[in-house]
Amino acid sequence: MRNLTIGNRNFASIKFRNLSIESGVGCYRAKFKLEAMPRGSEEWRLEWMDVRGQLMLGSGSKHEQDYVGEARSGNSTVLIGSGRETSFSTYVALSQYQLQKLQERVSGGDVRMSLYLSGNYSFRNPPSDDINPSSPAEVKSVFTIPWSDWAKQIDRCGFSDLMLFELEIPDSDAPDKLQDAVGSLRKAKSDIDKGEFSDAAYRSRKVLESCREALGDMPDLDRAKSEYRGKTDGAGREDMSLTSRELLAADVAKHFMDQAPHPDGSGQRVQYNRRQATLALRLAEAFLTSAIGRYGESE
C-alpha cells in the first residue's frame, strides 16, 4: 500500500488490485487496476487529472530499478473523496521484445514492480489546511504480482504461443561482408512488412552469400558436398562434422531462395508468398546468428 500525497500531506491510500495484459497488433498493453481510499474525516473531493508516470521493475530505490515503460491513466480525471474507494486503471504499452525480456527477468518467480504516478489536481471542496498549489499529486505504488497470476496473464494474452529470437550484432571490427549480412537481414524484414515477399527472399539469400564470403566457407562447403556424396577418401556422409553439415544445410537453404528475382527485375520471376518469405527470413537469421558465433570463436 502507498499514499497519494500533495506536498507532505497524505490524502489517500493506494492499493494495487490486479493486472491484466491485453494483446494488440504486434503489441501488448498492461492494465494495472488500483484503488484509492481517502484518508481523514474531512469532506473534501479531489480531481486528479492528466495522470501519468513510469512503470519500473523492482521494489528498491528508483536507481536500483529497471525502467519498463511510460504509464498513463485510463481515466481523464480520477475523482477521489467522499469517504469512498475509487477504482482507476493505469496502462503501459509493451512490445513483444519488452514482454519477452520481462519473462526472462521474472524467470518463474513473483513479479515486484513500482508505479510512479503524478498529475495535476483541483479541489471541489478543499481541505481546511493550506496546500501548496505548485506541488503535484503523486503516488509511488509498490506491489507484488504472484507468479501464478503473471503466468495466467501471459497465457491469456497469447504471448506464450510466440517465440522471439535475438540476433547478436557483430563487432565493428568484424568483416565488412558480415556487416553487409546484417544490413540485408534488416532489409528483408522491411520487405516483408511492406508485402514485398520476393524481394525479402532475395535479401535473405544475400545474407547467406555474405556470410559465406565473410568466413571463406567455399572450400569447406565444396568438401562437405563431396563428403555427402561419398566422393571423399576416408570420409563419407556418416562421418561429416557438424560444421560441414551446417554449411551444407545453409547451401540447401540458399537453394530455396534462388528462385527470387533481383529487385531490379532481373532473374527468374518466381513469386514468393508471405509464408515462404518468412521461412527464408528465419533461415537467414538462424545461419547469420551461427556465422557471427563462428566468427567470434575463430578470433
Side-chain angles (χ1 to χ4, degrees), residues 71-247:
R72 289 180 177 271
S73 173
N75 311 73
S76 58
T77 300
V78 180
L79 300 177
I80 302 173
S82 303
R84 295 180 299 177
E85 286 192 352
T86 299
S87 297
F88 65 99
S89 298
T90 299
Y91 296 89
V92 179
L94 299 170
S95 66
Q96 292 178 341
Y97 181 76
Q98 283 177 297
L99 204 50
Q100 175 173 279
K101 283 299 180 182
L102 282 172
Q103 275 286 79
E104 293 173 358
R105 291 288 300 275
V106 170
S107 190
D110 292 345
V111 186
R112 296 280 288 174
M113 287 184 165
S114 300
L115 262 175
Y116 295 85
L117 300 175
S118 180
N120 301 319
Y121 67 92
S122 65
F123 284 99
R124 291 188 180 179
N125 184 22
S128 58
D129 53 345
D130 292 332
I131 302 296
N132 184 351
S134 64
S135 298
E138 298 178 310
V139 165
K140 175 189 175 183
S141 178
V142 180
F143 49 88
T144 299
I145 303 170
W147 165 248
S148 58
D149 292 348
W150 175 264
K152 180 180 178 181
Q153 291 301 318
I154 290 295
D155 183 65
R156 176 178 169 272
C157 73
F159 184 77
S160 58
D161 298 329
L162 296 175
M163 292 181 66
L164 302 179
F165 298 92
E166 292 186 5
L167 175 66
E168 179 183 357
I169 303 300
D171 295 334
S172 57
D173 59 350
D176 290 342
K177 284 295 182 180
L178 213 50
Q179 305 285 359
D180 291 345
V182 174
S184 294
L185 190 72
R186 289 193 174 113
K187 291 177 181 177
K189 175 62 170 64
S190 177
D191 287 336
I192 289 180
D193 292 340
K194 294 184 290 187
E196 297 170 354
F197 304 130
S198 294
D199 289 354
Y202 167 79
R203 305 286 187 196
S204 299
R205 184 174 81 230
K206 296 298 293 182
V207 171
L208 300 184
E209 292 171 349
S210 294
C211 289
R212 181 183 293 178
E213 293 180 46
L215 298 180
D217 284 337
M218 280 308 302
D220 291 333
L221 175 60
D222 290 340
R223 179 174 177 82
K225 290 179 179 179
S226 296
E227 289 175 347
Y228 183 79
R229 295 169 183 151
K231 295 182 179 181
T232 302
D233 293 339
R237 182 181 302 184
E238 300 302 322
D239 302 313
M240 293 175 65
S241 68
L242 289 180
T243 299
S244 294
R245 294 168 188 253
E246 178 183 334
L247 294 177

Side-chain angles (χ1 to χ4, degrees), residues 16-22 28-34 55 72 74-75 88-94 115 143 145 153 156:
F16 167 75
R17 286 305 185 192
N18 58 60
L19 162 73
S20 60
I21 302 178
E22 306 164 348
Y28 299 86
R29 187 173 70 164
K31 175 183 177 182
F32 299 88
K33 185 176 180 180
L34 306 170
L55 175 67
R72 289 180 177 271
N75 311 73
F88 65 99
S89 298
T90 299
Y91 296 89
V92 179
L94 299 170
L115 262 175
F143 49 88
I145 303 170
Q153 291 301 318
R156 176 178 169 272

Side-chain angles (χ1 to χ4, degrees), residues 27 35 40 176 250 295:
C27 62
E35 286 187 350
D176 290 342
Y295 169 74

Side-chain angles (χ1 to χ4, degrees), residues 37-94:
M37 171 59 78
R39 304 184 65 162
S41 58
E42 293 182 84
E43 289 295 324
W44 52 264
R45 192 169 187 183
L46 171 71
E47 295 185 351
W48 195 20
M49 300 167 288
D50 193 27
V51 180
R52 63 186 65 196
Q54 295 178 333
L55 175 67
M56 309 290 286
L57 184 63
S59 57
S61 60
K62 193 169 184 179
H63 75 273
E64 297 174 328
Q65 301 169 1
D66 292 319
Y67 173 79
V68 177
E70 295 297 305
R72 289 180 177 271
S73 173
N75 311 73
S76 58
T77 300
V78 180
L79 300 177
I80 302 173
S82 303
R84 295 180 299 177
E85 286 192 352
T86 299
S87 297
F88 65 99
S89 298
T90 299
Y91 296 89
V92 179
L94 299 170

